[in-house]
Amino acid sequence: MTALPDQGYRPVSRADADGSLAMVEDRLEDFVAQRCQVLLDVSPDLAPVTEMVRHLAHGGKRLRASFCLWGWRGGGGDGQDAAIDGAAALELFHLAALVHDDVMDHSATRRGSSTAHEAFAARHRDEILDGDAADFGTGAALLIGDLCLTWSDELLSHAVVDPSRRTAVRGVYDLMRSQVMAGQYLDMLEQARPGTRPHESRLVLRYKSAKYTVEHPLLLGGALSGASADVLDAYRRFGVPVGEAFQLRDDVLGVFGDPARTGKPVGDDLREGKKTLLVLAALERADVVQRRLLQRHLGDPGLTDRAVAELQDVLVDTGALADVERQITQLTEQGVEAIGAGAVPKSVATGLAELALSIAGRTA
């Protein structure tokens, strides 16, 4: 496998002052290695699968783990092992979502390397196997995603918590998984429907990404620590707007991001024709010429760099980019205000505010 490039950005600031994220990293690496050995004991032919899973599990922002750890701290948790297991389980669930999402989006790269389905399609061609290489790659990626999903559930089951908290922990985790799948389907549906539906696009943004990036990891950490109802409510009021700000920033980076930092070609979202709120804002404000340009180029997989630049100009000239930037700022401020309202310990509220500002202004 191609070596994973340096991920650079790790938005934790002093969130990892106690080394918790490093412990999550170690736990994830050890757990995945153990489960990969189970596969290798079945057959050495599974070596490419284990290599890919270990490759995918290395690096990344660890945002969900960070929010889970902060949620645990804010609840006054003792005995860190449960929080470490919960945070690592979230990262495995995220891997499953990424692998499946790349298949659905036909993405060629992720974090600067080939996506799972592309890598296995290439392996099929290199080894001159029978059948269709793309189908083989898709099948392998789906199984790898399913493995990560299964192992995520298994890892969460290892989290040692007070028996009285288990129902709450499972409740958060199960709700998160169901809502992400619902958001994924709604995203597929919106891309397939003609026309634009801003309300539905906002719904996709919230359930496919925003809630499971911030709110649910916070609530999981809170449930693991036995946080009070007031603290959990503060997490919700913080998590939803900050999660939406995160996804809006992601949409901006999908069009304007530096490939060297995002790990994906510039304009990939435009080639996929994603109906993000950024694109919808441009369509709503565009004049006749701008609208024709958007309609002609959006969703063109062969979009040239010049055409990408033309679309970027439309997004800027219509004020769509500025509008999304204002929304990111407003949502982040809303979350920061909510977390500082008093229910959450000051040190945790400060850490979460720092993390919110960091992800709102990130460049990767």
Side-chain angles (χ1 to χ4, degrees), residues 80-91:
Q80 200 173 35
D81 288 350
I84 298 301
D85 281 347
L90 282 169
E91 290 299 325

Side-chain angles (χ1 to χ4, degrees), residues 216-296:
H216 286 136
L218 275 173
L219 293 176
L220 183 67
L224 286 165
S225 66
S228 69
D230 286 344
V231 168
L232 295 177
D233 182 60
Y235 288 167
R236 293 186 184 94
R237 290 185 287 110
F238 168 86
V240 172
V242 171
E244 291 188 0
F246 166 84
Q247 185 54 47
L248 288 174
R249 174 60 63 205
D250 214 46
D251 293 343
V252 171
L253 291 175
V255 177
F256 295 95
D258 178 0
R261 293 188 63 81
T262 64
K264 301 188 76 173
V266 64
D268 240 22
D269 284 2
L270 300 175
R271 293 184 180 89
E272 294 170 18
K274 287 188 176 181
K275 296 176 183 177
T276 62
L277 290 176
L278 175 63
V279 167
L280 295 185
L283 284 168
E284 182 180 341
R285 299 158 182 250
D287 60 27
V288 174
V289 175
Q290 291 169 329
R291 183 178 293 274
R292 285 175 181 167
L293 189 67
L294 287 165
Q295 292 173 337
R296 181 166 71 250

Side-chain angles (χ1 to χ4, degrees), residues 1-7 54-60 110-113:
M1 297 292 177
T2 304
L4 196 69
D6 179 15
Q7 298 301 310
R54 296 182 74 167
H55 170 75
L56 291 169
H58 173 73
R110 167 73 65 179
R111 298 175 183 167
S113 300

Side-chain angles (χ1 to χ4, degrees), residues 138-333:
T138 296
L142 292 176
L143 290 170
I144 287 169
D146 289 346
L147 267 176
C148 291
L149 192 62
T150 300
W151 291 348
S152 167
D153 194 70
E154 186 179 349
L155 184 49
L156 184 68
S157 72
H158 286 286
V160 179
V161 296
D162 186 309
S164 65
R165 300 175 190 170
R166 287 194 177 278
T167 298
V169 170
R170 287 304 319 186
V172 172
Y173 202 70
D174 293 343
L175 178 63
M176 175 191 73
R177 294 189 302 174
S178 295
Q179 289 186 347
V180 169
M181 303 306 171
Q184 285 279 19
Y185 176 77
L186 290 176
D187 187 30
M188 287 175 47
L189 182 61
E190 282 308 300
Q191 299 308 315
R193 277 175 167 160
T196 59
R197 300 152 58 94
H199 172 73
E200 283 71 15
S201 293
R202 176 72 73 173
L203 204 64
V204 169
L205 176 148
R206 175 168 292 192
Y207 286 99
K208 179 184 174 182
S209 178
K211 287 173 76 70
Y212 111 92
T213 299
V214 183
E215 181 194 18
H216 286 136
L218 275 173
L219 293 176
L220 183 67
L224 286 165
S225 66
S228 69
D230 286 344
V231 168
L232 295 177
D233 182 60
Y235 288 167
R236 293 186 184 94
R237 290 185 287 110
F238 168 86
V240 172
V242 171
E244 291 188 0
F246 166 84
Q247 185 54 47
L248 288 174
R249 174 60 63 205
D250 214 46
D251 293 343
V252 171
L253 291 175
V255 177
F256 295 95
D258 178 0
R261 293 188 63 81
T262 64
K264 301 188 76 173
V266 64
D268 240 22
D269 284 2
L270 300 175
R271 293 184 180 89
E272 294 170 18
K274 287 188 176 181
K275 296 176 183 177
T276 62
L277 290 176
L278 175 63
V279 167
L280 295 185
L283 284 168
E284 182 180 341
R285 299 158 182 250
D287 60 27
V288 174
V289 175
Q290 291 169 329
R291 183 178 293 274
R292 285 175 181 167
L293 189 67
L294 287 165
Q295 292 173 337
R296 181 166 71 250
H297 287 314
L298 282 174
D300 177 7
L303 202 61
T304 64
D305 290 344
R306 179 178 178 179
V308 168
E310 290 176 347
L311 290 178
Q312 289 174 332
D313 287 342
V314 171
L315 295 175
V316 172
D317 294 343
T318 57
L321 177 60
D323 179 61
V324 169
E325 290 288 355
R326 280 192 296 271
Q327 290 186 58
I328 291 171
T329 298
Q330 291 168 357
L331 288 164
T332 304
E333 290 175 348

